[in-house]
Amino acid sequence: YLLFEHKSFDDPMVSFQLLKYMVRIWEYYLKQEDVMPEKLPVVLPMVVFHGPEGWCTGDRFGNLFPQSPGLAEYIQDFRFRLYDLSHIPDEEIKGVILLRVVLLTLKYSRQPDLIDRLDDILKLFKEIIHLDKGIEYLYALLRYLSRGANNLTFDELQESVNRTIKNGGDIMPTIEQELKDKGRIEGRIEGKIEGKIEGRIEEKKKMAARLLRMGISIEKIAEASELSKEEIEKISNTTH
């Protein structure tokens, strides 16, 4: 099995994350077998990194543990293969077209020169867009860029698609509508959360006012309500 994980930042716990995925693969493998096998399949873990800063974490699971003289042979360890796209020249990113498109997109998605590279990346897509699921792959790519690229506006993406892919721009209105819908949903969620928070604060203020009328000290009310003393003093001034 080949296990791929992609990271846009240096993650010290990526090897632990990979281990959990590997265990799931082995569990799935065992469930598929009618007879309990004597061996487990080999899983080769790989991390594709495309962050703006360098990778400093290392590539071994054993690095997560402190050095323990005399216990080294009992400490779990494995190595994953790290591909730092920022250090790989474009001409060395080879393979099938779709793989090259994905890797080049990841490489530049968080770089300031993405807009300068985008036309060349999309031109590669012209060679596979006529294939089965070609439109679906293009849609997935444009959707990723519209949401995950830090240095690219929606209009810039649309202009690049119009320049490089015939009829590719037909997909953009759908993606634009998705972004609008996503924004509306997020706005509603944020509004509900803010409303709940404000409602809880108002309840605490009402409770503080009742406790003040009962003669409870500001210090004890602050401790019980989690309001600041300054807030309670304001409430005290308005209730007298």
Side-chain angles (χ1 to χ4, degrees), residues 72-176:
E73 62 180 306
Y74 303 105
I75 294 176
Q76 296 76 17
D77 192 18
F78 66 86
R79 181 185 178 190
F80 60 86
R81 186 66 181 270
L82 175 68
Y83 290 94
D84 187 346
L85 293 177
S86 63
H87 293 148
I88 301 177
D90 291 1
E91 59 271 17
E92 293 185 15
I93 297 178
K94 301 177 180 180
V96 297
I97 297 295
L98 185 58
L99 177 61
R100 290 169 60 194
V101 168
V102 169
L103 293 179
L104 287 169
T105 300
L106 290 176
K107 178 179 179 178
Y108 290 106
S109 63
R110 296 179 182 271
Q111 300 298 331
D113 56 345
L114 169 62
I115 187 62
D116 300 323
R117 306 285 182 172
L118 188 56
D119 280 13
D120 291 335
I121 295 174
L122 293 178
K123 284 176 183 176
L124 288 173
F125 227 106
K126 294 194 324 187
E127 301 182 34
I128 61 173
I129 196 169
H130 64 282
L131 301 178
D132 185 35
K133 294 189 176 181
I135 294 295
E136 293 181 31
Y137 294 144
L138 177 62
Y139 176 78
L141 173 70
L142 298 179
R143 192 166 179 264
Y144 170 78
L145 286 169
S146 66
R147 296 187 177 196
N150 296 340
N151 301 292
L152 183 70
T153 67
F154 185 86
D155 289 340
E156 288 173 334
L157 176 59
Q158 186 163 24
E159 289 171 6
S160 182
V161 172
N162 291 336
R163 282 195 303 269
T164 55
I165 300 177
K166 184 179 180 180
N167 300 325
D170 295 344
I171 298 175
M172 298 304 291
T174 302
I175 296 175
E176 184 177 23

